[in-house]
């Protein structure tokens, strides 16, 4: 392999070098610094005689005398089933002190698009055991459902709870060995060592590590490496799903750090910036990640994505959440106000949405009354929340009896339905029964979104005691 | 196998000079603007978008990883064209008209590989051709010379290509032929086949564009009832994510009473396209009970497919639409979403380092949007038939901000605006079309049709609904301050009536098998019934009945259930009677 000592410019994460042979776009590069370090990079732009290289490990220590080697292939991820249980760094090297990874295959991390014709529409319910998700914004296999959060909110706890509890109820009943079928890929981008420790401790404590592959790019790792981490994670996920028949849940955190890295590279290349300095191609770039979720006709496995992003300034219209929302199939919204009320998990169910929900619930999937109960809960909760504004002005006494019922409903909905704690797991039956407990506070005639027969079957004529959480749980246990 | 791998260095072959994402420059290439070229050893498809001296800039429709300087670039000498002929319906294409099912079998993989080419229509399949002209007839360009039963629903008309001279027919054939076999021969030697090619960026000629006067009935109450679109009209659906753009587009594609539907999924979600692919063959055409796919052609360029193909997919769609229009059909094209198309333009433009206009979009954004929407309309075709192309474009404004360039430039052109509202969506009011902000400039020219075909008083009823909803918005502002109980009784009754308008009339459940499609007669009947309740209730109020008693009658909540009744006609009649009885018994 030819070595070049032709570096002409080093700027931020980029290195420019002269070459006398054609170098392919996106191909891998190794740069050896005079002090003996080897850094890896990728071709960002290839011209006759000149290439721009983006260096993953940072450009510190690179000078004009550093030698450049072109590997002649694009970045590949060594994949094998043995990756389960392993901890890797952001560019796929093991950091858990375990044995060398012997790959079955080496797959291109860019990943080709799934032919829409070959996809299978996702409609199998995944039970996360979290009422705010299962009941109101159901996750299905093959979906990409991000968690929109902001700094200081317990999104990591929610992600861990989902990773721990996620099951596909039907199969659990039929085969009993579904645990071996489920795999979790965890891709961390720019998280702090402390957060990383929390994740690792939880994985080890619950034994979830056995069925997980962990990719760790920490806050002090080079930003450029972050652009590779999710692709490594997703390539592994696709391999496990479509070649080894696993149902893979991919958790990516934090997408905001990923986008910051994109912006950094864009700025270093002096590109024309789009909104708020993020590159104009960020939509395409994010789509190439998020769209790597789904099911394929004739394949057993599936890739489900749960990316986490913190909204800068809690602003939903910021380009990162905005573009994400346009690509993903809904979002789970975390809420500051609920968090300060002590609701765990603080999911704002009315701001959340699961686009694939309607096809994933109902008779044979969850329960026949699920859709109607969900619609009614949404409507009643919205009504109650609206009235809260009014109460602040006129006081409770000025409201009608019905309005007061809606107000109580909204409070109890948050306290009993949404607030379940990070360690409680609820079956979908329990979730829907709690829904009925709450709806029974409201007069039957108001339940205009539920089929009359279902009201007859489930409506509780005697409203259970409002203040006691235990009684609600008791009722729902049957 | 693409052509580039089959033929070694032919004339007009250049080589790659630089590669940056989807933009490649080549030197020594003899090409015209917008010519299609095959790039690299793998023969990736691309299009010339800039020529400067010896350097030609190409946008590549496929992933460019691994492509390097020095690899060959071959010119086809032709602009991006689509194949037009029988077989386009019931098909699903990518952005450059490659059939996705053929690609799947050619690549033998669920993932889209590179450098694989496939014709837009099957060249080997035989179609049953029946001529409608005979030897001795004179035909002009664009004239219909025969028919082919393309699907159970649609009879495909074979036309003389517009660039032929035309003349006297020498001979015709009848029977089963492939699309490349000549079926009609003219005396001047021109041979008409069932297949034509047309460059996508050029509109197909027509003799005259007329004012549209027939509504495109969508079966959606809020659209037909309040904000109708004409056959040959244009509409925009802007809305933030999660507000139901795609569900609305799907409902329109399923139920609009056009002959042909072209659905362009431009830069949207893969799973959503799959839903369309799986749903449409199972759904029935409300007009004739045939499968919906028999009148539909899908173009799917999902958000992770190459960006350059996203730029071209709306043109591919509208060219196919125009072809069916030329046969005399009413075509509706749904583009979801035009913002992704605009962003693809922006992305390419920024790779070309062009001077950006507003928010980084290229300065020609407005012109391109206008050119695209202008290809819609109600046309008198060159061959004397009449046909229409209606265009319904979804817009995805960042952060739901309607003041951004794509929304604004679109609104300057389209005549119907269906504003989706995140607040309504959050309340699960679907379709979440905001009745205050939406408008239709077709109302006046469509009223005569509604009067004649549905009800003489259609415009008046609609006006009553609009007025009531307006009054509600005003009253709501007061209610926010003082509470509903502080209002006088008549105003509280207005709020009650408006609530039924919102819940029973404007809301429509796209997932309920009965409610998903509402014929205009039922739309009218529901509105009329709510007005009956309104009139009777005000009479009761005038007679001194307390408001609580009026709003409490059993019959009233049933107003919200009309839409889900299969036998709505008798239900409506009973309900009106009951409302009258119950309210009159109070005084």
């Amino acid at each position: 392999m030819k070595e070049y000592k032709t570096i002409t410019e080093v700027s931020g994460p980029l290195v420019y070098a002269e070459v006398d042979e054609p170098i392919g776009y996106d191909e891998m590069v190794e740069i050896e610094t005079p002090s003996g370090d080897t850094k890896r990079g990728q071709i960002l732009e290839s011209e006759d005689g000149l290439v721009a290289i983006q260096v993953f490990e940072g450009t510190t220590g690179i000078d004009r005398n550093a030698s450049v080697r072109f590997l002649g292939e694009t970045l590949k991820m060594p994949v094998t089933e043995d990756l389960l249980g392993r901890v890797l760094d952001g560019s796929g090297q093991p950091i858990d002190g375990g044995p060398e990874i012997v790959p079955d295959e080496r797959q291109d991390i860019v990943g080709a698009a799934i032919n829409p014709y070959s996809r299978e529409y996702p409609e199998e319910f995944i039970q996360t055991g979290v009422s705010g998700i299962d009941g109101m914004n159901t996750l299905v296999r093959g979906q990409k459902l991000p968690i929109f959060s902001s700094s200081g909110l317990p999104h990591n706890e929610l992600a861990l709870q989902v990773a721990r509890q996620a099951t596909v109820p039907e199969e659990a009943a039929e085969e009993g060995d579904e645990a071996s079928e489920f795999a979790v890929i965890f891709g961390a981008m720019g998280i702090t060592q402390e957060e990383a420790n929390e994740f690792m401790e939880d994985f080890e404590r619950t034994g979830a590590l056995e069925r997980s592959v962990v990719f760790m790019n920490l806050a002090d790792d080079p930003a450029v490496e972050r652009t590779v981490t999710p692709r490594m994670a997703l390539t592994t996920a696709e391999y496990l799903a479509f070649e080894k028949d696993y149902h893979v849940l991919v958790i990516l955190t934090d997408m905001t750090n990923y986008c910051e890295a994109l912006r950094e590279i864009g700025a270093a290349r002096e590109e024309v910036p789009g909104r708020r300095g993020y590159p104009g191609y960020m939509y395409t770039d994010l789509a190439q990640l998020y769209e790597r979720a789904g099911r394929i006709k004739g394949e057993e496995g599936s890739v489900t994505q749960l990316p986490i992003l913190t909204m800068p300034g809690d602003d939903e219209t910021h380009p990162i959440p905005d573009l994400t929302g346009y690509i993903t199939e809904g979002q789970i919204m975390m809420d500051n106000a609920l968090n300060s009320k002590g609701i765990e998990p603080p999911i704002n169910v009315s701001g959340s949405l699961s686009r694939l929900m309607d096809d994933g619930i109902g008779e044979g999937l969850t329960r026949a009354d699920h859709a109607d109960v969900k619609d009614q809960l949404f409507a009643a909760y919205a009504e109650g929340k609206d009235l809260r504004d009014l109460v602040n002005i006129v006081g409770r006494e000025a409201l009608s009896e019905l309005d007061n019922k809606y107000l109580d409903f909204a409070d109890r909905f948050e306290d009993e339905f949404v607030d379940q704690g990070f360690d409680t797991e609820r079956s979908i039956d329990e979730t829907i029964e709690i829904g009925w407990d709450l709806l029974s506070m409201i007069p039957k005639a108001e339940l205009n979104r539920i089929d009359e027969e279902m009201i007859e079957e489930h409506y509780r004529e005697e409203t259970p005691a409002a203040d006691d959480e235990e009684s609600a749980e008791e009722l729902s246990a049957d | 196998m693409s052509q580039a791998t089959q033929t070694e260095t032919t004339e007009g072959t250049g080589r790659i000079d630089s590669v940056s994402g989807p933009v490649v420059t080549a030197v020594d290439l003899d090409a015209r603007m917008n010519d299609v070229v095959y790039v690299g050893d793998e023969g990736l498809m691309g299009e010339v978008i800039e020529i400067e001296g010896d350097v030609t800039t190409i946008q590549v429709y496929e992933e460019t990883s691994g492509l390097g300087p020095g690899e060959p670039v071959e010119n086809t000498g032709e602009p991006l064209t689509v194949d037009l002929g029988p077989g386009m319906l019931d098909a699903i294409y990518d952005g450059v008209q490659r059939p996705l099912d053929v690609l799947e079998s050619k690549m033998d993989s669920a993932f889209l590989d590179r450098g694989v080419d496939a014709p837009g229509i099957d060249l080997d399949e035989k179609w049953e051709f029946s001529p409608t002209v005979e030897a001795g007839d004179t035909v002009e360009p664009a004239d219909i010379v025969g028919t082919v039963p393309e699907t159970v629903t649609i009879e495909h008309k074979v036309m003389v290509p517009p660039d032929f001279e035309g003349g006297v027919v020498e001979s015709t054939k009848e029977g089963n032929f492939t699309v490349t076999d000549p079926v009609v021969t003219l005396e001047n030697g021109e041979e008409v086949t069932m297949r034509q090619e047309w460059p996508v960026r050029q509109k197909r000629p027509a003799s005259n564009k007329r004012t549209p006067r027939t509504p495109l009935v969508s079966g959606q109450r809020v659209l037909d009832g309040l904000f109708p679109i004409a056959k040959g009209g244009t509409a925009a659906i802007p809305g933030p994510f999660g507000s139901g753009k795609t569900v609305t587009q799907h409902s329109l594609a399923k139920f609009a009473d056009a002959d042909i539907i072209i659905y362009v999924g431009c830069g949207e979600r893969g799973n959503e396209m799959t839903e369309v692919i799986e749903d449409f063959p199972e759904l029935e055409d409300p007009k004739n009970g045939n499968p919906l796919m028999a009148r539909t052609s899908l173009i799917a360029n999902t958000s992770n497919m190459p960006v350059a193909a996203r730029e071209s997919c709306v043109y591919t769609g509208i060219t196919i639409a125009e072809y069916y229009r030329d046969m005399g059909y009413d075509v509706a094209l749904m583009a979801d979403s035009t913002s992704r198309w605009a962003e693809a333009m922006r992305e390419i433009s920024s790779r070309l380092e062009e001077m950006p206009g507003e928010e980084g979009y290229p300065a020609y954004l407005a012109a391109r949007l206008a050119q695209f929407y202008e290809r819609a309309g109600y046309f008198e075709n060159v061959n004397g038939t009449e046909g229409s192309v209606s265009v319904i474009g979804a817009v995805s404004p960042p952060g739901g901000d309607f003041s951004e360039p794509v929304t604004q430039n679109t609104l300057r052109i389209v005549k119907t605006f269906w504003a989706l509202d995140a607040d309504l969506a959050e309340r699960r009011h679907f379709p979440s079309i905001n009745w205050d902000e939406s408008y239709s400039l077709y109302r006046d020219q469509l009223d005569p049709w509604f009067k004649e075909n549905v009800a003489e008083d259609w415009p008046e009823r609609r006006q009553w609904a609009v007025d009531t909803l307006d009054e509600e918005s005003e009253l709501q502002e007061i209610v926010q301050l003082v509470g509903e109980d502080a209002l006088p009784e008549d105003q509280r009754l207005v709020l009650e009536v408006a609530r039924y308008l919102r819940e029973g009339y404007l809301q429509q459940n796209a997932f309920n098998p009965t409610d998903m499609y509402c014929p205009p007669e039922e739309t009218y009947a529901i509105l009329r019934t709510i007005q009956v309740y309104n009139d009777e209730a005000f009479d009761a109020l005038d007679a001194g009945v307390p408001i609580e008693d009026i709003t409490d009658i059993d019959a009233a909540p049933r107003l919200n259930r009309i839409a889900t009744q299969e036998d709505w006609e008798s239900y409506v009649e009973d309900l009106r009677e009951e409302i009258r009885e119950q309210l009159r018994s109070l005084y």
Side-chain angles (χ1 to χ4, degrees):
Chain A
M1 202 177 303
K2 214 164 166 183
E3 276 198 29
Y4 290 86
K5 293 205 173 191
T6 51
I7 292 178
T8 54
E9 187 184 334
V10 182
S11 143
L14 301 188
V15 169
Y16 295 85
E18 286 173 353
V19 288
D20 59 6
E21 62 185 334
I23 305 294
Y25 174 69
D26 253 3
E27 283 181 1
M28 290 302 295
V29 183
E30 270 180 13
I31 300 178
E32 203 176 319
T33 62
S35 58
D37 287 349
T38 304
K39 293 169 185 284
R40 300 193 306 157
Q42 197 173 12
I43 303 289
L44 266 191
E45 203 166 319
S46 172
E47 278 174 42
D48 218 3
L50 184 73
V51 290
I53 304 161
Q54 136 184 332
V55 183
F56 297 138
E57 285 96 346
T59 46
T60 316
I62 295 179
D63 64 9
R64 288 191 190 82
N65 297 320
S67 67
V68 183
R69 283 192 301 273
F70 298 95
L71 304 184
E73 62 166 24
T74 51
L75 188 52
K76 301 271 197 306
M77 172 74 203
V79 285
T80 155
E81 222 171 329
D82 298 337
L83 280 171
L84 288 169
R86 301 299 301 270
V87 183
L88 314 171
D89 73 1
S91 49
Q93 314 289 338
I95 48 169
D96 55 359
E100 187 92 340
I101 290 163
V102 185
D104 270 3
E105 270 176 60
R106 300 177 70 246
Q107 289 187 344
D108 199 317
I109 64 155
V110 175
I114 302 179
N115 186 335
Y117 181 80
S118 313
R119 278 181 185 266
E120 184 158 321
Y121 190 64
E123 43 198 2
E124 284 151 313
F125 166 63
I126 294 180
Q127 180 171 299
T128 64
V130 179
S131 293
I133 297 176
D134 290 351
M136 310 297 283
N137 300 289
T138 315
L139 178 69
V140 297
R141 270 197 284 203
Q143 185 174 16
K144 40 198 179 293
L145 189 66
I147 299 176
F148 282 16
S149 185
S150 48
S151 310
L153 293 183
H155 40 264
N156 291 344
E157 282 80 352
L158 179 62
L160 279 171
Q161 186 177 15
V162 172
R164 200 164 56 225
Q165 296 179 174
T167 53
V168 182
E170 252 177 298
E171 292 201 354
E174 279 170 24
E175 295 164 31
D177 60 351
E178 123 285 346
S180 64
E181 291 265 294
F182 223 87
V184 176
I185 310 271
F186 182 77
M189 292 159 283
I191 65 170
T192 60
Q193 183 69 51
E194 212 168 306
E195 281 176 297
N197 290 347
E198 275 169 37
F199 275 112
M200 290 314 299
E201 276 163 27
D202 195 273
F203 274 140
E204 277 160 24
R205 180 172 62 84
T206 58
L209 189 60
E210 271 172 54
R211 52 166 189 167
S212 309
V213 187
V214 179
F215 292 84
M216 283 281 179
N217 166 283
L218 297 180
D220 55 354
D221 289 338
V224 178
E225 194 184 85
R226 266 161 230 167
T227 59
V228 186
T229 310
R231 294 189 163 82
M232 293 269 173
L234 288 164
T235 305
T236 311
E238 280 172 356
Y239 171 79
L240 291 175
F242 302 128
E243 289 179 35
K244 299 290 168 193
D245 296 345
Y246 281 88
H247 292 298
V248 187
L249 179 69
V250 184
I251 298 175
L252 299 172
T253 182
D254 175 335
M255 290 307 293
T256 307
N257 296 334
Y258 172 82
C259 295
E260 299 291 341
L262 277 189
R263 178 161 70 174
E264 192 180 325
I265 296 164
R269 291 177 68 189
E270 296 174 8
E271 289 170 345
V272 181
R275 246 184 347 136
R276 300 226 194 164
Y278 292 97
Y281 49 80
M282 195 159 84
Y283 178 83
T284 309
D285 193 281
L286 285 174
Q288 281 168 354
L289 298 181
Y290 294 140
E291 277 292 331
R292 291 172 80 174
R295 307 206 53 198
I296 290 179
K297 272 189 240 167
E299 298 287 347
E300 273 295 305
S302 62
V303 178
T304 309
Q305 274 190 39
L306 203 67
I308 299 171
L309 56 90
T310 47
M311 295 182 283
D314 220 355
D315 174 12
E316 206 186 323
T317 66
H318 185 280
I320 299 172
D322 191 55
L323 296 179
T324 299
Y326 275 123
I327 306 163
T328 54
E329 285 134 354
Q331 69 278 338
I332 300 294
M333 193 74 88
M334 304 282 272
D335 188 272
N336 248 318
L338 289 178
N339 189 46
S340 48
K341 275 191 204 171
I343 309 278
E344 289 182 349
I347 297 175
N348 171 5
V349 292
S350 41
S352 305
L353 171 76
S354 165
R355 289 166 187 277
L356 301 182
M357 173 171 195
D358 289 299
D359 295 301
I361 61 172
E363 200 149 14
L365 297 156
T366 54
R367 258 173 61 161
D369 55 343
H370 189 168
D372 286 3
V373 168
K374 167 210 60 161
D375 285 344
Q376 193 69 58
L377 285 171
F378 269 126
Y381 183 50
E383 179 92 34
K385 283 215 292 190
D386 276 356
L387 288 165
R388 283 181 186 165
D389 297 337
L390 188 57
V391 166
N392 288 337
I393 302 168
V394 298
R396 271 210 161 202
E397 296 72 30
L399 295 183
S400 67
E401 195 191 338
L402 182 64
D403 286 349
N404 272 302
K405 279 187 178 154
Y406 273 116
L407 273 172
D408 291 337
F409 172 87
D411 291 341
R412 281 189 57 192
F413 180 77
E414 288 169 4
D415 293 339
E416 294 172 28
F417 190 91
V418 183
D419 186 10
Q420 64 178 85
F422 289 115
D423 292 316
T424 314
E425 183 173 348
R426 282 188 190 152
S427 73
I428 184 66
D429 257 330
E430 286 172 76
T431 295
I432 295 175
E433 289 302 324
I434 297 173
W436 277 109
D437 288 345
L438 298 177
L439 288 177
S440 302
M441 297 170 68
I442 297 166
K444 266 189 201 174
E446 285 284 307
L447 303 180
N448 55 3
R449 295 179 192 238
I450 307 186
D451 197 85
E452 277 156 355
E453 281 172 26
M454 287 177 187
I455 297 182
E456 285 313 312
E457 195 184 329
H458 296 284
Y459 190 82
R460 323 260 193 262
E461 295 299 338
E462 302 247 321
T463 318
D467 50 354
D468 193 348
E469 232 188 278
E470 252 174 62
S471 72
E473 257 166 64
E474 248 170 48
L475 263 164
S476 60
D478 51 355
Chain B
M1 280 283 116
S2 81
Q3 299 174 19
T5 43
Q6 287 161 354
T7 48
E8 276 304 304
T9 44
T10 50
E11 224 179 314
T13 303
R15 59 188 170 78
I16 298 178
D17 183 51
S18 77
V19 185
S20 164
V23 174
V24 168
T25 61
V27 289
D28 299 335
L29 182 70
D30 186 16
R32 287 172 304 178
M33 194 65 176
N34 293 115
D35 274 358
V36 169
V37 293
Y38 289 100
V39 179
D41 296 326
E42 286 180 274
L44 311 179
M45 191 176 175
E47 184 180 355
V48 175
I49 51 172
E50 200 177 78
I51 299 170
E52 202 182 333
D54 188 36
V55 179
T56 309
T57 309
I58 298 157
Q59 60 176 356
V60 180
Y61 294 126
E62 299 180 73
E63 176 65 42
T64 51
S65 276
L67 207 61
E71 290 185 42
V73 179
E74 195 209 349
N75 185 15
T76 61
E78 278 181 14
L80 184 63
T81 57
V82 288
D83 290 332
L84 301 167
M88 291 190 294
L89 297 179
D90 201 3
I92 162 159
Y93 294 120
D94 77 349
V96 287
Q97 214 208 5
R98 296 183 302 178
L100 287 172
D101 50 346
V102 178
L103 290 187
E104 185 193 54
S105 54
K106 273 196 167 182
M107 295 172 186
D108 193 26
S109 159
F111 293 90
L112 289 171
D113 205 353
R114 309 193 300 185
V116 178
D117 211 355
I121 50 180
D122 193 333
L123 301 180
D124 300 322
E125 190 172 350
K126 293 201 167 177
W127 297 92
E128 190 190 336
F129 177 80
S130 329
T132 51
V133 292
E134 39 191 76
D137 288 356
T138 307
V139 293
E140 309 256 322
D143 276 359
I144 295 168
V145 293
T147 62
V148 175
E150 184 175 358
T151 65
V152 282
T153 317
I154 297 298
E155 183 171 78
H156 190 99
K157 314 240 166 85
V158 178
M159 295 173 287
V160 180
D163 51 354
F164 273 29
E165 265 177 39
V168 179
V169 176
E170 190 183 70
S171 66
T172 63
K173 289 183 186 164
E174 185 162 3
N176 291 316
F177 301 99
T178 68
V179 290
T180 48
D181 293 333
V183 285
V184 173
T185 312
L186 306 185
E187 279 182 358
N188 64 5
E190 286 175 329
E191 290 180 330
V192 180
T193 64
M194 286 184 260
R195 172 176 172 270
Q196 302 188 8
E197 280 184 18
W198 192 261
V200 294
R201 291 179 205 278
Q202 192 182 333
K203 70 175 175 194
R204 287 178 65 87
S207 11
N208 198 3
K209 198 167 174 174
R210 293 229 199 120
T211 309
R213 300 201 184 276
T214 331
L216 182 74
V217 175
S218 63
Q220 309 301 305
R221 285 187 291 276
V222 58
L223 307 186
D224 294 343
L226 297 184
F227 311 109
I229 174 180
K231 285 199 172 105
T234 50
I237 318 182
F241 63 82
S243 56
K245 272 186 306 295
T246 303
V247 176
T248 310
Q249 287 275 35
H250 284 193
S251 294
L252 282 164
K254 286 171 189 168
F255 303 120
D257 70 337
D259 300 310
I260 308 276
I261 303 286
I262 312 288
Y263 191 94
V264 184
C266 176
E268 288 290 309
R269 305 175 181 90
N271 282 332
E272 255 164 26
M273 284 319 298
T274 308
E275 185 187 9
V276 174
I277 299 167
E278 286 186 9
D279 273 8
F280 278 32
E282 284 168 27
L283 286 167
E284 280 182 7
D285 186 338
K287 275 204 297 194
N288 48 32
N290 293 332
L292 215 46
M293 269 315 278
R295 62 160 192 177
T296 310
S297 185
L298 298 173
I299 293 163
N301 181 272
T302 57
S303 56
N304 55 340
M305 282 155 82
V307 65
R310 194 183 312 155
E311 196 268 334
S312 68
C313 68
V314 295
Y315 294 108
T316 302
I318 197 133
T319 309
I320 296 176
E322 284 175 338
Y323 187 64
Y324 282 101
R325 174 209 77 196
D326 282 348
M327 299 177 202
Y329 287 118
D330 290 317
V331 187
L333 179 134
M334 326 283 161
D336 186 11
S337 137
T338 57
S339 294
R340 304 292 160 240
W341 170 46
E343 278 162 15
M345 276 189 245
R346 174 167 74 181
E347 195 171 324
I348 306 275
S349 163
S350 106
R351 299 256 185 198
L352 292 177
E353 295 176 5
E354 290 174 341
M355 184 75 81
E358 212 178 339
E359 290 196 19
Y361 286 103
Y364 46 79
L365 172 72
R368 292 273 174 91
L369 281 169
Q371 275 166 9
F372 170 67
Y373 280 105
E374 262 309 283
R375 289 172 76 168
Y378 192 93
F379 290 92
E380 216 170 280
N381 293 324
V382 179
N383 57 24
T385 56
E386 284 181 15
S388 67
V389 176
S390 318
V391 174
I392 297 157
V395 184
S396 319
D401 169 18
F402 289 177
S403 69
E404 58 90 39
V406 182
T407 314
Q408 282 307 312
N409 284 311
T410 304
L411 288 186
R412 294 211 327 254
I413 310 157
V414 300
K415 292 181 79 178
T416 308
F417 174 57
W418 296 323
L420 293 174
D421 187 325
D423 266 358
L424 290 176
E426 189 165 313
R427 283 157 199 281
R428 301 309 192 255
H429 173 118
F430 289 117
S432 54
I433 292 171
N434 183 310
W435 49 92
D436 286 332
E437 287 177 37
S438 304
Y439 58 79
S440 165
L441 301 179
Y442 294 112
R443 270 186 195 171
D444 292 342
Q445 68 207 57
L446 297 178
D447 274 348
W449 187 93
F450 282 112
K451 278 184 177 174
E452 197 185 318
N453 292 281
V454 187
E456 189 54 38
D457 55 355
W458 177 277
E460 290 80 31
R461 301 291 166 224
R462 180 183 60 216
Q463 198 52 48
W464 171 76
V466 172
D467 291 345
T468 309
L469 289 166
D470 279 351
E471 196 173 347
E472 188 203 21
S473 327
E474 281 169 30
L475 291 176
Q476 281 297 355
E477 283 172 25
I478 305 172
V479 171
Q480 288 297 324
L481 293 175
V482 297
E484 194 177 326
D485 292 346
L487 292 181
E489 291 199 325
D490 57 335
Q491 293 186 344
R492 283 172 63 190
L493 189 53
V494 170
L495 288 181
E496 186 74 6
V497 172
R499 192 164 71 90
Y500 287 119
L501 274 177
R502 282 190 283 111
E503 293 176 1
Y505 182 67
L506 297 180
Q507 287 187 21
Q508 190 164 352
N509 186 346
F511 300 98
N512 179 300
T514 319
D515 197 15
M516 54 168 65
Y517 176 75
C518 185
E521 293 74 20
E522 190 184 344
T523 298
Y524 174 80
I526 295 176
L527 184 55
R528 185 76 193 97
T529 312
I530 297 174
Q531 206 185 3
V532 166
Y533 170 74
N534 174 74
D535 296 350
E536 293 288 333
F538 271 98
D539 285 350
L541 196 66
D542 288 345
V545 182
I547 175 95
E548 286 78 12
D549 295 349
I550 294 174
T551 55
D552 228 24
I553 63 166
D554 295 344
R558 289 178 54 200
L559 286 168
N560 286 345
R561 300 193 190 266
I562 305 175
T564 51
Q565 303 302 317
E566 277 196 37
D567 186 11
W568 55 271
E569 275 159 320
S570 65
Y571 185 90
V572 159
E573 226 157 89
D574 291 349
L575 183 57
R576 285 183 194 166
E577 200 44 50
E578 244 172 88
I579 288 172
R580 278 195 197 100
E581 240 169 62
Q582 291 183 0
L583 283 172
R584 286 182 189 174
S585 71
L586 296 172
Y587 58 95

